[in-house]
C-alpha cells in the first residue's frame, strides 16, 4: 500500500487490521485478552469518532472504526482527535498523554499502565500506515 488513506476511514481500518494481524504476534502482545475503545472528540467534520480494538490471547480479534458511541470495552479512552492523531503518528506516547491529562481513561488504571507498552507497540504499527490526518 502506497497511497495515503484518510485516518479512521474504512480503508484505514482495513489496513490497520492487516498490519496488526501480520506484525503483532501473540508473544509480542504477551497473550493479553483486553479491549479498548478510543473516543475521538473534535474530529474534522464535527462528528465524534471511535477506534475499537480487541485482543484475545494476544491475537487481534476485532478492530472497528465509526462515528458516535463506541462499543463497550474494558478500557474507554476519550480525548481530542489531534491528541490521538499525534499518538498514532508516534509523536507522543499514550502513557504520557494519559498522565498529562490529555486523555481520560475509564477502566482499571493500574492494568492500563501495565498495558501501556503494548499499546505503544500497537501504535508503532499504526504509525507506519500512510495516512491523511
Amino acid at each position: 500500500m502506497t497511497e495515503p488513506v484518510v485516518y479512521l476511514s474504512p480503508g484505514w481500518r482495513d489496513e490497520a487490521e492487516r498490519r496488526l494481524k501480520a506484525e503483532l504476534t501473540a508473544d509480542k502482545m504477551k497473550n493479553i485478552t483486553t479491549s479498548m475503545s478510543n473516543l475521538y472528540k473534535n474530529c474534522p467534520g464535527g462528528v465524534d469518532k471511535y477506534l475499537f480494538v480487541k485482543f484475545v490471547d494476544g491475537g487481534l480479534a476485532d478492530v472497528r472504526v465509526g462515528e458516535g458511541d463506541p462499543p463497550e470495552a474494558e478500557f474507554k479512552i476519550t480525548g481530542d482527535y489531534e491528541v490521538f492523531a499525534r499518538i498514532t503518528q508516534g509523536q507522543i506516547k499514550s502513557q504520557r498523554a494519559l498522565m498529562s491529562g490529555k486523555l481520560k481513561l475509564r477502566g482499571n488504571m493500574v492494568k492500563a499502565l501495565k498495558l501501556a507498552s503494548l499499546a505503544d507497540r500497537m501504535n508503532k504499527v499504526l504509525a507506519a500506515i500512510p495516512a491523511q490526518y
Side-chain angles (χ1 to χ4, degrees):
M1 183 178 142
T2 56
E3 290 296 314
V5 291
V6 175
Y7 182 51
L8 300 179
S9 69
W12 183 89
R13 189 222 71 87
D14 293 348
E15 186 63 15
E17 179 179 46
R18 187 186 71 71
R19 289 176 184 236
L20 290 171
K21 282 184 174 179
E23 297 178 38
L24 296 182
T25 63
D27 285 345
K28 283 185 181 177
M29 294 306 286
K30 304 209 183 285
N31 299 302
I32 63 164
T33 295
T34 191
S35 58
M36 173 180 69
S37 282
N38 294 343
L39 182 58
Y40 295 66
K41 298 288 193 177
N42 303 313
C43 296
V47 297
D48 292 344
K49 294 187 177 185
Y50 67 81
L51 168 64
F52 171 82
V53 181
K54 181 176 183 178
F55 286 88
V56 175
D57 296 327
L60 181 69
D62 194 6
V63 59
R64 299 182 219 171
V65 296
E67 294 180 358
D69 292 329
E72 284 299 313
E74 182 176 12
F75 297 102
K76 182 178 181 182
I77 304 168
T78 304
D80 256 11
Y81 172 91
E82 290 299 325
V83 173
F84 280 117
R86 290 184 63 213
I87 291 168
T88 303
Q89 293 173 79
Q91 296 174 358
I92 60 173
K93 300 270 187 197
S94 57
Q95 187 173 2
R96 182 178 186 99
L98 274 170
M99 299 310 279
S100 67
K102 291 182 174 153
L103 296 177
K104 303 292 182 213
L105 171 74
R106 194 188 85 219
N108 183 322
M109 180 63 87
V110 174
K111 185 174 181 182
L113 291 174
K114 288 180 182 177
L115 296 176
S117 65
L118 299 179
D120 287 336
R121 190 168 292 151
M122 181 183 77
N123 287 325
K124 186 175 181 182
V125 172
L126 298 178
I129 298 172
Q132 297 171 339
Y133 291 87

